[in-house]
Amino acid sequence: MRLSPPGKLRFQQTQQFDITFGGAEANVAIGLSYLNEPSSIISCVPDNPIGKQALHFFQGHGVDVQHIQQTGDRLGIYYLENGALSRSSQVVYDRDHSAFGTLPTGSIDWEKIFEQADWLHWSGITPAVSASAAALTLEALKAARKAGVTISTDLNYRHKLWNYGIPPNEIMPELVEYCDVIIGDVNASKVFFDLAVPGWRFTMDPDYEKYQQFVSLLMQRFPQCKTVAITHRGSLSASDNRWSAMIADREQFKHSPIHELNGIIDRIGAGDSFTAGIIYGLRNFGTDLQKTINFAAATSALKHSILGDASLLSVEEILPLMEGDSSGRVAR
Amino acid sequence: MRLSPPGKLRFQQTQQFDITFGGAEANVAIGLSYLNEPSSIISCVPDNPIGKQALHFFQGHGVDVQHIQQTGDRLGIYYLENGALSRSSQVVYDRDHSAFGTLPTGSIDWEKIFEQADWLHWSGITPAVSASAAALTLEALKAARKAGVTISTDLNYRHKLWNYGIPPNEIMPELVEYCDVIIGDVNASKVFFDLAVPGWRFTMDPDYEKYQQFVSLLMQRFPQCKTVAITHRGSLSASDNRWSAMIADREQFKHSPIHELNGIIDRIGAGDSFTAGIIYGLRNFGTDLQKTINFAAATSALKHSILGDASLLSVEEILPLMEGDSSGRVAR
Amino acid sequence: MRLSPPGKLRFQQTQQFDITFGGAEANVAIGLSYLNEPSSIISCVPDNPIGKQALHFFQGHGVDVQHIQQTGDRLGIYYLENGALSRSSQVVYDRDHSAFGTLPTGSIDWEKIFEQADWLHWSGITPAVSASAAALTLEALKAARKAGVTISTDLNYRHKLWNYGIPPNEIMPELVEYCDVIIGDVNASKVFFDLAVPGWRFTMDPDYEKYQQFVSLLMQRFPQCKTVAITHRGSLSASDNRWSAMIADREQFKHSPIHELNGIIDRIGAGDSFTAGIIYGLRNFGTDLQKTINFAAATSALKHSILGDASLLSVEEILPLMEGDSSGRVAR
Amino acid sequence: MRLSPPGKLRFQQTQQFDITFGGAEANVAIGLSYLNEPSSIISCVPDNPIGKQALHFFQGHGVDVQHIQQTGDRLGIYYLENGALSRSSQVVYDRDHSAFGTLPTGSIDWEKIFEQADWLHWSGITPAVSASAAALTLEALKAARKAGVTISTDLNYRHKLWNYGIPPNEIMPELVEYCDVIIGDVNASKVFFDLAVPGWRFTMDPDYEKYQQFVSLLMQRFPQCKTVAITHRGSLSASDNRWSAMIADREQFKHSPIHELNGIIDRIGAGDSFTAGIIYGLRNFGTDLQKTINFAAATSALKHSILGDASLLSVEEILPLMEGDSSGRVAR
Amino acid sequence: MRLSPPGKLRFQQTQQFDITFGGAEANVAIGLSYLNEPSSIISCVPDNPIGKQALHFFQGHGVDVQHIQQTGDRLGIYYLENGALSRSSQVVYDRDHSAFGTLPTGSIDWEKIFEQADWLHWSGITPAVSASAAALTLEALKAARKAGVTISTDLNYRHKLWNYGIPPNEIMPELVEYCDVIIGDVNASKVFFDLAVPGWRFTMDPDYEKYQQFVSLLMQRFPQCKTVAITHRGSLSASDNRWSAMIADREQFKHSPIHELNGIIDRIGAGDSFTAGIIYGLRNFGTDLQKTINFAAATSALKHSILGDASLLSVEEILPLMEGDSSGRVAR
Amino acid sequence: MRLSPPGKLRFQQTQQFDITFGGAEANVAIGLSYLNEPSSIISCVPDNPIGKQALHFFQGHGVDVQHIQQTGDRLGIYYLENGALSRSSQVVYDRDHSAFGTLPTGSIDWEKIFEQADWLHWSGITPAVSASAAALTLEALKAARKAGVTISTDLNYRHKLWNYGIPPNEIMPELVEYCDVIIGDVNASKVFFDLAVPGWRFTMDPDYEKYQQFVSLLMQRFPQCKTVAITHRGSLSASDNRWSAMIADREQFKHSPIHELNGIIDRIGAGDSFTAGIIYGLRNFGTDLQKTINFAAATSALKHSILGDASLLSVEEILPLMEGDSSGRVAR
Ligand SMILES: [Ca+2]
Ligand SMILES: [Ca+2]
Ligand SMILES: [Ca+2]
Ligand SMILES: [Ca+2]
Ligand SMILES: [Ca+2]
Ligand SMILES: [Ca+2]
Ligand SMILES: [Ca+2]
Ligand SMILES: [Ca+2]
Ligand SMILES: [Ca+2]
Ligand SMILES: [Ca+2]
Ligand SMILES: [Ca+2]
Ligand SMILES: [Ca+2]
Ligand code: NI
Ligand code: NI
Ligand code: NI
Ligand code: NI
Ligand code: NI
Ligand code: NI
Ligand code: NI
Ligand code: NI
Ligand code: NI
Ligand code: NI
Ligand code: NI
Ligand code: NI
Ligand code: NI
Ligand code: NI
Ligand code: NI
Ligand code: NI
Ligand code: NI
Ligand code: NI
């Protein structure tokens, strides 16, 4: 559950929180649902009215919730204060002891789930939550591989979350080895895999040569991986960003145009909407990686116009921007 | 009645609609009222609390409502979702069978109305609503001409509305022939009059030469027309636009400066506020078309800062921008 | 779609509408979903963002929406102003020409639907909408009978809606003949079937003898009918009511206790929540009509505490009141 | 301007004020407008956006504002915290130095105003504001008498307002002598006229004998007065009241039934709505005082269901309660 | 932190939470601050913006926060859904692992604190939170006794909170032995001390004889205790209650009148406001227990009219109800 | 008290005001409190719930309110309509007769106050309010000088406020002579001291040479003054500004970088947050004026992202922008 002061208020100014529900994987599931790709969340929420409020949210947005168990103590929370100008957004995590973080291995019938699925997506946030969540992830990956399901991951390093004692570099490498598609990230790869391109400093617009080296290193390290996709955010301020993305397989490296995002509504979940766009593209545009990266970049550029963690965008809405029309003209 | 999710929420996110009332001609009437030009709406609303809510709105904004009849079945609605970044605003019309659309000819005593008026404004949205609305418009135009009243029109082509069987090119030409002032539009003129300047592609900033040719064609086609005014919107995104305008009579062609509009609040109704500015200018600045176009362009540039369909701007507020001061400094 | 001024504001005071979605049958479906009885709505909504907003609402509340087609022109609306003290609530219908009202017969594959259902509920509001909706209802009833599905109806007479030319007494009798369960109503039965108990004047608390006679007349008239259930509202004011209910089959007549409802939040949809309670009771309490009527009366008494058309109440929440504890104590 | 925390919040809990505009006479004017009696406010507001906001409010509610001058320093304010249970509503006046309180005599062309009016209503709040306001009132009364206009007054004693140096008993008697209709009040009459019925203690329901004596005393004291009307409030708590009223001329004394008001929304302005009802009755029901008092009592009983100072009730809405139906049933 | 859907919405209906901050002892501290008794909270909140939001709230309401440490992981939460009619309020606790629950003994310099205090209040909610919180409570009690500070407790049994392994009957008796004043409770005393009056069934209005026996048993069991005070709630529904209270020392037994509370705004925290009233009374009314119990009962009756956990009532506001005037009349 | 329509609504569109409390000196006090510099407001508010609401606000934000007396008639108000694009913000002052403006000299025990303070800040708004406020300011300055307290002033010329008869140039020079630190302003200096740099026209970005001359003139005129600091606002529109600042002592002249502020939330109080930053810098960064001006400029640049008059920014939040990182990236 995400709790935010309305508009751009600071925590000490507000007497109300806006509520949405999210989490990296759930955001991807909602994004896919709006792209007309059926999706299902595998998780758990407490068996109380707050847990049911979360279910109401997900099923309202068209996601299958039959694999969300109702058990455990509490729903994880994060508080978000929206930034503006050069004032950063504040995120306060309160996710320890959440229902999902205490779900033991063996509680999920993966085999049955994968009978009706052909894609599994997970993110680095899940194993960051607790040792049991990490074990559950590994369990899922093994079952998915056995069932012949495509696996994607978003590395998603959250420094504030990894606090249960085992460092991420002892957990993540084994998990990522199962993945066919990696949503990559430079910082995460340094922390998780000690993998870095020498002499690379952050630039406002992407340095494609360096990114290409980075992809090579990542693909070398993970032989199962067939596709790597990466976003690049140039932050002029909390409100104005430059946004673009790249994708590569073992042969091609394609990048999207750069989207100028002036007057951002909500940048949280942009990465998750990008992942939804990548999954959609890989399933629908075949080997045309240029089309896939343009679609995913446009999806996630548009996500910045939507309040809440999730992308609520149809394919019809994404195509014009994907094809270069950023005008946002009214249709009437 | 216009119903919109608050702020930039999408339809599927909202549990409340913000309500305003509008319609092309009503917006012009309110705009004129704030410019201290007495105005009256000739229309009808159903005799129920929703109709009365509309009357409350118009009379609150200083418009005379004594010529709004209370009859008919329903108030026409349009739903508006505000866009942001490159996400377009969505307009959903629900105007069929509205009270006004079913008002028969002969129900309005035009003669009496024009005894106390010297200007009639109508827009292309009215004859788009129904065959009877088109007939009523013609009736009004004949009576206005007879009464010696100045007539202006805003072509306002709304593709989604023209669905009652008779195509606009069989209706509009006859109606526009009565008009002294035309708020022109390139697309509308193609559809309504099959009138086009060859080899003209849309450009972000206006191509004055082409516009001048366009005005010539329009004036040739409509001999009664003495003045044509046109706006030009360069859309960088739903939030950031470049806005300017032109005016011409049979001798002069004048254009306004280009207004950079970054951080638009609401672009709906900008054209109607422009019309209000043109009518104000023609009535108050005599033959100084440069003054008129600068005033109308400034009025409509400022309209983009106001939520709702209508311009709520006084002459005092418009003059500084008209004279080149865009600073929006606080007076205290 | 129901649009209401927040709180107890009048239409002319509000600048916002609270949005919920409902309709007699949809309200029953949501009520059943919260009682853990799977339910599905068979209807249609326009293929636009407002139609999708309705789907979002229903599926969020756990109702299956796969049989809601996306077609037609507009979503029917009703405006509701909440009353207080002796000021009545105002309902303004704007349902003509709605998507469902224009859906032709033959557009729904009833056979396939009834393969997976064992109960069909409809209300007198549906055939009131249009001739085609009445025909569609008849089509459904025939198919349901053929499939051996139990049929229930809520007579639900809405004077303002029956305006398409055929009077209700030419439509309803044939439709009600198919029904196993009737949610009866004294006024509706007079209008629909010209059926009345002589010398009966409305009393604040129910006159059981008269009601028993009324049930006999109804059962005589409709031989297929096995169960009749009726609610009785004693209105002290818009805020304070006395609420009770009765049920009968061809042998028993049982009534609930009278619930004193002081400080009503929203009385709209109380009848629909009662219907949900009756259906739940008949499916779960066997022939114990006393239990069923006490459950349904408690369900609908509690509905008055919930804003919106639908009952969002679990069985666990209903049982205490059903067993006589009206205290509303906090559990902690 | 009235500023109130939303709902039942206390001042120290709120970060927003709900805004309405009122004042005893303005409330009567709006109430009459909703009863289809044309009304006009004679007052002034400052020539700034806050003054214009007030004009917007009054004209939206159908009151003629052409006699509201735009001059003076500030708009008077009162802050209202809504009470509940036995917690009293709090009123904080900030009306000193208001535009109206500083308007000098001679600034209003009474003669012209009374050419088009046949009734003048004023209340004891006006001369309480300042010495100049008292002088202006006297000026108005003289002009009204000369023009043959009927004059009514509501005594309306506000202890907190009378603070400009001259005590009310030196001002009010002269002013009330001009009045044809007096909305009486026991406390006010003691303070203003030193007029009291011996041995009278407040009772929850009215003691008609005492009230009759009180009316006699008042009528003796003011020979011009033809009609006296009085309300009686029995306060069980801030939320639950018993409300009734009486009227008398020099021959009859009639009282209304007692209205039980449980769950009051807003009791401010109830007296003003009563006055509107009395004026309506005297103008429309001739000498049938019973009808007039029942109408005015029902009007003001219903006012308690409306947020804000003013009654927004049509004659059609009042008649059922006037005729004894308090049920507040939904019409549909 | 308390998070509630606005108004009477259910969890599954809301997209916003109203925020207040409370906890039994904090509520007492705020209540005392409004009674002009300086108060200080001894607790801790996490060193993040949510913790600071809590500090902002408490110091805004006049409570000294210098003894609230900024440490620990998270702020405890409880979710509250407000009930209505016979629908109960729902409380969902999410207080495990809160900052205060993990504060170790030895972290607070009690000696220094008690140098400037003469009263310590704690409630049974504190030792319910965790074993360390129970130990901290004992530490405080020993230090307070040593410093000669008066000690009061509110037994406050919360079944859902006592879940850390040690049952309350092994913790509470030792703690309560230190107390001079006990806010008693029949259920809590059964669970904590296995203390019960034989043959006592709950009645809507208090059975004073039984209560007197109960007080005797409690005083016997706790020789240090000088005063016992108890509230009695007769719940007709979630909205309508009958509320009264009793107090006793070793010689007298006094009870308040019964307050009828119809249209309750918020009953949470009523007990805490009662405690504040008792502490105020014992400090200001000497041995006049009748005055103390009438004051505390009136305080807590009025609390039901205030949204949020805390009583924001001044002595001036309480006196009229304490003296029997429940009318809630407007002062103006 | 500041009352504003929510968001960017115009006065005539709103039915609610957002409430905050401010005033130049109070804003500085809150800004310092968030920078961990203890601060106290010396003022008065009326002894009514609105005055207490102000106290609630200030103490909630950590400011000591023990020197705010509760006396006088009314709390001063200003109404603020937020501008957008080229539409200016509107400020309507209603501050005459405020509690502080009528506080007589001699009512404040300056000597005692300055025993516990080492810095006094005042602004040109205070002596603008009334003659007595000007006298009180002089009284404070004499006492502060005597106590050896550092004195700073913000010239803050508000044309609309100086209306009590004595022109500012007869008041301000004497007061400013006491000051060690002056927050300077070109317009104010012309009006107050008839001091101007010849041939200087406003430029979008600062002309440092001219500013340096201006500082020289000011320092010559006020020999007590040791430090002058000035902000420079280049207004592209109400939403987009360029913001920078300068500081000088009798030896150095340093300027900050220029901050581009696109998408301003609230520019009111930016000057006051700058003053807080200057005071913080002078107290913490010694003679490093570059550091002080960069800190104060960053503080006030960030203030533009916060709704309300006051800066709610910690030192930790300001340092990154001060060091050149404007990215507003999310920390998680
Ligand atoms: Ca997340
Ligand atoms: Ca996210
Ligand atoms: Ca329109
Ligand atoms: Ca429009
Ligand atoms: Ca319905
Ligand atoms: Ca319904
Ligand atoms: Ca008033
Ligand atoms: Ca009033
Ligand atoms: Ca608590
Ligand atoms: Ca509590
Ligand atoms: Ca200020
Ligand atoms: Ca300020
Ligand atoms: Ni907002
Ligand atoms: Ni606050
Ligand atoms: Ni605040
Ligand atoms: Ni929702
Ligand atoms: Ni808003
Ligand atoms: Ni939703
Ligand atoms: Ni939602
Ligand atoms: Ni939302
Ligand atoms: Ni309005
Ligand atoms: Ni509300
Ligand atoms: Ni209005
Ligand atoms: Ni209004
Ligand atoms: Ni929902
Ligand atoms: Ni507060
Ligand atoms: Ni607060
Ligand atoms: Ni509310
Ligand atoms: Ni909802
Ligand atoms: Ni309005």
Side-chain angles (χ1 to χ4, degrees), chain A residues 182-193:
Chain A
I182 300 175
I183 310 300
D185 178 271
V186 173
N187 292 331
S189 299
K190 181 88 190 68
V191 175
F192 292 167
F193 320 125

mmCIF file of all heavy atoms in Angstrom, chain A residues 182-193:
data_model
loop_
_atom_site.group_PDB
_atom_site.id
_atom_site.type_symbol
_atom_site.label_atom_id
_atom_site.label_comp_id
_atom_site.label_asym_id
_atom_site.label_seq_id
_atom_site.Cartn_x
_atom_site.Cartn_y
_atom_site.Cartn_z
ATOM 1 N N ILE A 182 16.385 -9.632 -18.829
ATOM 2 C CA ILE A 182 16.817 -8.837 -17.678
ATOM 3 C C ILE A 182 16.555 -7.362 -17.953
ATOM 4 O O ILE A 182 17.011 -6.838 -18.972
ATOM 5 C CB ILE A 182 18.319 -9.038 -17.367
ATOM 6 C CG1 ILE A 182 18.610 -10.505 -17.049
ATOM 7 C CG2 ILE A 182 18.764 -8.140 -16.213
ATOM 8 C CD1 ILE A 182 20.099 -10.813 -16.846
ATOM 9 N N ILE A 183 15.790 -6.733 -17.052
ATOM 10 C CA ILE A 183 15.713 -5.277 -17.076
ATOM 11 C C ILE A 183 16.909 -4.822 -16.243
ATOM 12 O O ILE A 183 16.918 -4.948 -15.017
ATOM 13 C CB ILE A 183 14.387 -4.765 -16.480
ATOM 14 C CG1 ILE A 183 13.184 -5.490 -17.100
ATOM 15 C CG2 ILE A 183 14.283 -3.248 -16.613
ATOM 16 C CD1 ILE A 183 13.033 -5.354 -18.599
ATOM 17 N N GLY A 184 17.930 -4.320 -16.945
ATOM 18 C CA GLY A 184 19.211 -4.080 -16.296
ATOM 19 C C GLY A 184 19.301 -2.720 -15.650
ATOM 20 O O GLY A 184 18.455 -1.845 -15.866
ATOM 21 N N ASP A 185 20.333 -2.558 -14.844
ATOM 22 C CA ASP A 185 20.541 -1.289 -14.149
ATOM 23 C C ASP A 185 22.000 -1.246 -13.742
ATOM 24 O O ASP A 185 22.539 -2.227 -13.205
ATOM 25 C CB ASP A 185 19.628 -1.238 -12.931
ATOM 26 C CG ASP A 185 19.830 0.042 -12.147
ATOM 27 O OD1 ASP A 185 20.700 0.043 -11.248
ATOM 28 O OD2 ASP A 185 19.142 1.028 -12.429
ATOM 29 N N VAL A 186 22.623 -0.117 -13.974
ATOM 30 C CA VAL A 186 24.064 -0.015 -13.760
ATOM 31 C C VAL A 186 24.413 -0.117 -12.278
ATOM 32 O O VAL A 186 25.300 -0.884 -11.883
ATOM 33 C CB VAL A 186 24.586 1.297 -14.391
ATOM 34 C CG1 VAL A 186 26.038 1.520 -14.030
ATOM 35 C CG2 VAL A 186 24.404 1.252 -15.907
ATOM 36 N N ASN A 187 23.719 0.634 -11.443
ATOM 37 C CA ASN A 187 24.044 0.579 -10.014
ATOM 38 C C ASN A 187 23.772 -0.790 -9.424
ATOM 39 O O ASN A 187 24.585 -1.335 -8.665
ATOM 40 C CB ASN A 187 23.215 1.609 -9.238
ATOM 41 C CG ASN A 187 23.614 3.014 -9.590
ATOM 42 O OD1 ASN A 187 24.760 3.254 -9.954
ATOM 43 N ND2 ASN A 187 22.659 3.935 -9.509
ATOM 44 N N ALA A 188 22.629 -1.344 -9.767
ATOM 45 C CA ALA A 188 22.272 -2.655 -9.235
ATOM 46 C C ALA A 188 23.306 -3.692 -9.626
ATOM 47 O O ALA A 188 23.714 -4.537 -8.806
ATOM 48 C CB ALA A 188 20.893 -3.066 -9.753
ATOM 49 N N SER A 189 23.783 -3.633 -10.852
ATOM 50 C CA SER A 189 24.735 -4.636 -11.329
ATOM 51 C C SER A 189 26.069 -4.530 -10.599
ATOM 52 O O SER A 189 26.746 -5.528 -10.365
ATOM 53 C CB SER A 189 24.936 -4.474 -12.840
ATOM 54 O OG SER A 189 23.718 -4.659 -13.499
ATOM 55 N N LYS A 190 26.404 -3.316 -10.237
ATOM 56 C CA LYS A 190 27.626 -3.136 -9.431
ATOM 57 C C LYS A 190 27.452 -3.802 -8.070
ATOM 58 O O LYS A 190 28.317 -4.558 -7.616
ATOM 59 C CB LYS A 190 27.888 -1.625 -9.276
ATOM 60 C CG LYS A 190 29.135 -1.271 -8.481
ATOM 61 C CD LYS A 190 30.341 -1.194 -9.386
ATOM 62 C CE LYS A 190 31.663 -1.092 -8.592
ATOM 63 N NZ LYS A 190 32.008 -2.313 -7.832
ATOM 64 N N VAL A 191 26.326 -3.555 -7.418
ATOM 65 C CA VAL A 191 26.102 -4.093 -6.073
ATOM 66 C C VAL A 191 25.864 -5.596 -6.104
ATOM 67 O O VAL A 191 26.415 -6.334 -5.289
ATOM 68 C CB VAL A 191 24.889 -3.387 -5.421
ATOM 69 C CG1 VAL A 191 24.557 -4.013 -4.085
ATOM 70 C CG2 VAL A 191 25.164 -1.899 -5.270
ATOM 71 N N PHE A 192 25.053 -6.045 -7.041
ATOM 72 C CA PHE A 192 24.658 -7.455 -7.050
ATOM 73 C C PHE A 192 25.763 -8.357 -7.603
ATOM 74 O O PHE A 192 26.001 -9.449 -7.115
ATOM 75 C CB PHE A 192 23.414 -7.662 -7.936
ATOM 76 C CG PHE A 192 22.144 -7.049 -7.405
ATOM 77 C CD1 PHE A 192 21.018 -6.943 -8.239
ATOM 78 C CD2 PHE A 192 22.022 -6.589 -6.101
ATOM 79 C CE1 PHE A 192 19.838 -6.402 -7.786
ATOM 80 C CE2 PHE A 192 20.836 -6.033 -5.649
ATOM 81 C CZ PHE A 192 19.749 -5.942 -6.486
ATOM 82 N N PHE A 193 26.406 -7.884 -8.695
ATOM 83 C CA PHE A 193 27.322 -8.783 -9.431
ATOM 84 C C PHE A 193 28.733 -8.235 -9.512
ATOM 85 O O PHE A 193 29.591 -8.833 -10.179
ATOM 86 C CB PHE A 193 26.796 -8.993 -10.860
ATOM 87 C CG PHE A 193 25.306 -9.163 -10.971
ATOM 88 C CD1 PHE A 193 24.534 -8.355 -11.805
ATOM 89 C CD2 PHE A 193 24.648 -10.139 -10.208
ATOM 90 C CE1 PHE A 193 23.171 -8.502 -11.912
ATOM 91 C CE2 PHE A 193 23.265 -10.296 -10.317
ATOM 92 C CZ PHE A 193 22.528 -9.468 -11.163
#
